[in-house]
Amino acid sequence: MRGQGIGLGMMGMPDRSLITAVQQKDYSAGVWLRRKDKLEHGKRQILQLTHTHNLSVLSSDKSSKAHVFQSGLATEGCAMK
């Protein structure tokens, strides 16, 4: 005759405890993955902002150098006359 009540699962744990343990691990893994995704998303945003900032600095640096160069030529041109 088959016994009724809580059966034993792996490693002698009651079935309910085993299910609860698996659910807890599943929940913990989900929390960990969400945190990891948030961190990676934050890193991507920082890299994009840094890249955009570097491009704007390079662009403004080039235009200011061109302006200084052109100003220098204008000054030299005045001195040559």
Side-chain angles (χ1 to χ4, degrees), residues 36-47:
K36 182 180 174 224
D37 287 344
K38 280 184 178 181
L39 284 172
E40 288 176 356
H41 180 71
K43 285 180 184 178
R44 279 192 301 268
Q45 283 183 325
I46 290 170
L47 288 174

Side-chain angles (χ1 to χ4, degrees), residues 18-57:
L18 182 61
I19 291 169
T20 303
V22 169
Q23 288 172 338
Q24 179 61 42
K25 288 202 182 272
D26 186 43
Y27 173 79
S28 298
V31 169
W32 184 84
L33 286 172
R34 281 190 297 279
R35 287 180 181 164
K36 182 180 174 224
D37 287 344
K38 280 184 178 181
L39 284 172
E40 288 176 356
H41 180 71
K43 285 180 184 178
R44 279 192 301 268
Q45 283 183 325
I46 290 170
L47 288 174
Q48 287 172 347
L49 288 172
T50 303
H51 180 70
T52 303
H53 175 74
N54 287 344
L55 288 177
S56 67
V57 168

Side-chain angles (χ1 to χ4, degrees), residues 6 16 19 40-41 43 45 51 60 64 67-68 71 78:
I6 300 174
R16 288 185 190 151
I19 291 169
E40 288 176 356
H41 180 71
K43 285 180 184 178
Q45 283 183 325
H51 180 70
S60 66
S64 64
H67 177 70
V68 169
S71 299
C78 290

